[in-house]
Amino acid sequence: IVKLENICKNYYLNDVAFPVLNGVNLQIETGEFVGIVGESGSGKSTLMNILGVLDHPTSGKYYLNECDVFSYEEDELAALRNRTIGFVFQSFFLLPRMTALQNVGLPLLYRNLSPEKIKEQSFKMLKKVGLEEFHDRKPTQLSGGQQQRVAIARALVGEPHLLLADEPTGALDRRTSDEIMSLFLSLNRHDGMTVVLITHEEKVAERCGRVLRMEEGCLCQVEQIK
Amino acid sequence: IVKLENICKNYYLNDVAFPVLNGVNLQIETGEFVGIVGESGSGKSTLMNILGVLDHPTSGKYYLNECDVFSYEEDELAALRNRTIGFVFQSFFLLPRMTALQNVGLPLLYRNLSPEKIKEQSFKMLKKVGLEEFHDRKPTQLSGGQQQRVAIARALVGEPHLLLADEPTGALDRRTSDEIMSLFLSLNRHDGMTVVLITHEEKVAERCGRVLRMEEGCLCQVEQIK
Ligand SMILES: Nc1ncnc2c1ncn2[C@@H]1O[C@H](COP(=O)(O)OP(=O)(O)OP(=O)(O)O)[C@@H](O)[C@H]1O
Ligand SMILES: Nc1ncnc2c1ncn2[C@@H]1O[C@H](COP(=O)(O)OP(=O)(O)OP(=O)(O)O)[C@@H](O)[C@H]1O
Ligand SMILES: [Mg+2]
Ligand SMILES: [Mg+2]
């Protein structure tokens, strides 16, 4: 489902190039559950933004379902992204003036669904992350871990084929973190959702099918002690 | 240094009271290193906001260095807070249009220091968290863990007597997380800085002198297996 070929990414500040990704190669089969680990600042979120079609690489190719993603026009990309990908951001990016329920329903606005159907799907997903009684709270009226779970519900509401989760349990206590991982694993096993998950927690990495480490701007496979 | 007596806090939404803290009693001696654990949504950040004089309790008393904090006027409180407390927020709250160096220097603007002195102190602190080469980056040009470290440097730059850290290693990999904990512990042991730290990571809680658990809106002591 995902194929990255020699992806390079430089950031430019005052015309100085800062290379972050130096030739990332990655191939993920449909239905896999992949974990990505690596040091702070090593380029994991940068890679996720490219996988999520939110940022362009400096060079290299990205095939999503065998489509050469970056040869598309922006509006075609937006449609592809909305249908296929669910993204949990490291800093959540919830809209502060919308309720939890409205935030969760945002990805569904692009589809031909009635407002009632959108509300129903959003409520169902909030229930799955244990937050149904907080549906009418705004983000500032929620704890850090509750905000993170709203972001997770939003990523899942459209039943994506590919879930990209950037440190999705970073703000969660052990028990809630386990519940979220079990939710991801069950969607992976029963609905065939492919998962790419960044984490710096060993207990989370241990539950992934395979673990890759970001080092010096490249991905390499980690020995998995199963 | 810190004494909380029967602190209660309700949030009010549409005139409905939601009790979050139900009579928290806490006494912390100068130089202690206290960890606070508890489930997502249990009230830890709410308690921190009261300790940091950023929010008022619904009832109860808070004595900071034997001063009844909430009997003061707002401007006196601001001065007390700036002199005494360093706060690492769960969601960082960095100013997006300032560089890392400027963000770190913010607490020093209230003191009678020259701009050069402020720059020097800020740079020194950025160095302590390993980010000196990123001093002129804006927050959006930093990784999640780098942003968290800027927030930590900002909390420490004024050499506070009391450090309140809300999940300060949540976005950090194992190695960087250990470095930050060692920095806190050394400031605690050599400079006598009192530390109250919220975490949901066992490895971090194990390094605290004493651990308290937030449950049902009250704090209770956790058995420490040393
Ligand atoms: N917009 C930007 N401009 C310049 N440099 C950037 C920008 N965004 C990120 N960087 C830099 O790119 C590097 C990789 O950042 P990235 O966010 O991908 O790291 P990460 O692995 O996700 O780290 P963390 O675990 O701390 O979240 C960092 O050194 C960061 O400072
Ligand atoms: N402004 C607010 N208005 C109403 N309720 C709020 C507000 N802020 C927080 N809450 C609620 O108060 C409770 C405690 O929140 P708090 O942020 O203190 O939790 P926490 O222990 O820090 O959780 P986490 O580990 O997820 O960060 C939560 O149920 C939250 O929904
Ligand atoms: Mg990141
Ligand atoms: Mg919190």
Side-chain angles (χ1 to χ4, degrees):
Chain A
I1 184 171
V2 163
K3 186 162 191 272
L4 295 180
E5 265 179 19
N6 208 23
I7 291 287
C8 298
K9 175 70 184 179
N10 302 333
Y11 286 114
Y12 294 92
L13 298 172
N14 300 329
D15 300 335
V16 183
F18 290 87
V20 171
L21 301 179
N22 303 315
V24 170
N25 291 296
L26 178 62
Q27 206 160 324
I28 301 180
E29 308 301 321
T30 309
E32 277 205 76
F33 199 116
V34 180
I36 297 181
V37 298
E39 289 195 352
S40 174
S42 57
K44 306 179 295 295
S45 297
T46 303
L47 180 68
M48 286 296 251
N49 288 337
I50 290 170
L51 283 173
V53 194
L54 298 163
D55 191 19
H56 290 245
T58 307
S59 64
K61 293 225 169 282
Y62 175 18
Y63 298 96
L64 179 65
N65 282 330
E66 311 196 333
C67 307
D68 178 355
V69 167
F70 293 112
S71 66
Y72 281 52
E73 291 300 320
E74 179 52 41
D75 51 349
E76 292 172 293
L77 276 184
L80 175 67
R81 185 168 60 225
N82 184 264
R83 276 202 320 273
T84 316
I85 299 171
F87 206 127
V88 186
F89 293 91
Q90 189 168 8
S91 51
F92 317 157
F93 289 141
L94 300 178
L95 295 184
R97 289 193 230 163
M98 292 192 167
T99 63
L101 191 73
Q102 292 165 337
N103 264 289
V104 172
L106 283 172
L108 300 179
L109 296 179
Y110 297 108
R111 309 186 186 188
N112 288 333
L113 295 170
S114 66
E116 295 74 33
K117 193 74 189 141
I118 291 180
K119 254 184 135 183
E120 185 191 325
Q121 293 275 66
S122 307
F123 201 83
K124 205 162 130 212
M125 201 50 74
L126 271 180
K127 214 159 183 275
K128 282 199 178 172
V129 297
L131 290 179
E132 65 271 26
E133 49 182 310
F134 294 90
H135 63 95
D136 59 353
R137 297 279 183 101
K138 301 223 170 49
T140 46
Q141 296 165 333
L142 294 172
S143 79
Q146 290 165 345
Q147 290 175 22
Q148 188 159 47
R149 282 182 276 162
V150 173
I152 289 166
R154 183 182 60 188
L156 295 174
V157 73
E159 295 173 349
H161 302 164
L162 174 65
L163 177 70
L164 302 175
D166 196 340
E167 310 228 16
T169 59
L172 302 177
D173 59 272
R174 166 61 18 93
R175 191 181 64 102
T176 317
S177 177
D178 288 346
E179 285 169 15
I180 291 298
M181 280 304 286
S182 301
L183 174 59
F184 290 169
L185 285 161
S186 109
L187 290 166
N188 173 251
R189 283 166 197 166
H190 303 147
D191 304 353
M193 181 178 76
T194 310
V195 179
V196 181
L197 185 153
I198 294 174
T199 184
H200 61 256
E201 296 177 63
E202 290 176 34
K203 292 236 153 63
V204 170
E206 283 166 13
R207 296 181 75 178
C208 299
R210 112 173 119 117
V211 178
L212 304 166
R213 175 172 295 277
M214 181 70 85
E215 222 169 327
E216 310 283 322
C218 300
L219 274 183
C220 49
Q221 187 117 354
V222 171
E223 293 313 317
Q224 188 76 331
I225 310 159
K226 282 263 168 192
Chain B
I1 183 172
V2 164
K3 186 161 190 273
L4 295 180
E5 264 178 20
N6 209 23
I7 290 287
C8 298
K9 175 71 184 177
N10 302 335
Y11 287 114
Y12 293 93
L13 298 170
N14 300 329
D15 300 331
V16 181
F18 290 87
V20 170
L21 301 179
N22 303 316
V24 170
N25 291 296
L26 177 62
Q27 207 160 322
I28 301 180
E29 307 302 320
T30 310
E32 276 204 78
F33 199 116
V34 180
I36 297 182
V37 298
E39 289 193 353
S40 175
S42 57
K44 306 180 294 296
S45 297
T46 303
L47 180 68
M48 285 296 249
N49 287 338
I50 290 170
L51 284 173
V53 192
L54 297 162
D55 191 19
H56 289 245
T58 308
S59 64
K61 292 228 169 282
Y62 175 18
Y63 298 96
L64 178 64
N65 281 330
E66 313 198 330
C67 307
D68 178 356
V69 167
F70 293 113
S71 66
Y72 281 51
E73 291 301 321
E74 180 51 44
D75 51 346
E76 292 172 295
L77 276 184
L80 176 68
R81 186 170 57 225
N82 183 265
R83 277 202 319 271
T84 315
I85 298 171
F87 206 126
V88 187
F89 293 90
Q90 189 168 7
S91 53
F92 315 159
F93 290 142
L94 300 179
L95 295 183
R97 290 192 230 164
M98 291 190 167
T99 64
L101 191 74
Q102 291 166 335
N103 264 289
V104 172
L106 284 172
L108 299 180
L109 296 178
Y110 298 106
R111 309 187 185 187
N112 290 333
L113 294 170
S114 67
E116 295 76 33
K117 193 74 188 139
I118 290 180
K119 255 183 136 183
E120 184 191 327
Q121 293 275 69
S122 306
F123 201 84
K124 204 162 132 216
M125 202 48 75
L126 271 180
K127 215 162 183 270
K128 283 198 177 171
V129 299
L131 290 179
E132 64 272 28
E133 50 184 306
F134 295 88
H135 63 94
D136 58 355
R137 297 277 182 102
K138 302 229 168 47
T140 47
Q141 297 165 337
L142 294 171
S143 78
Q146 291 165 343
Q147 290 174 23
Q148 187 159 48
R149 282 183 276 162
V150 173
I152 289 165
R154 182 182 61 187
L156 294 175
V157 73
E159 296 174 348
H161 303 163
L162 175 65
L163 176 71
L164 302 175
D166 196 341
E167 310 228 14
T169 60
L172 303 178
D173 60 87
R174 167 58 20 87
R175 191 181 66 102
T176 318
S177 175
D178 288 347
E179 286 169 15
I180 291 299
M181 280 304 284
S182 301
L183 173 60
F184 291 168
L185 284 160
S186 111
L187 291 168
N188 172 251
R189 282 167 200 164
H190 302 148
D191 303 354
M193 180 176 78
T194 310
V195 179
V196 181
L197 185 152
I198 294 174
T199 185
H200 61 256
E201 296 178 63
E202 290 174 34
K203 292 235 153 67
V204 171
E206 282 166 12
R207 296 181 77 176
C208 299
R210 127 173 106 112
V211 179
L212 304 166
R213 175 173 295 277
M214 181 72 82
E215 225 169 325
E216 309 282 320
C218 298
L219 274 184
C220 50
Q221 188 116 351
V222 171
E223 292 313 319
Q224 188 78 326
I225 310 157
K226 281 266 168 193

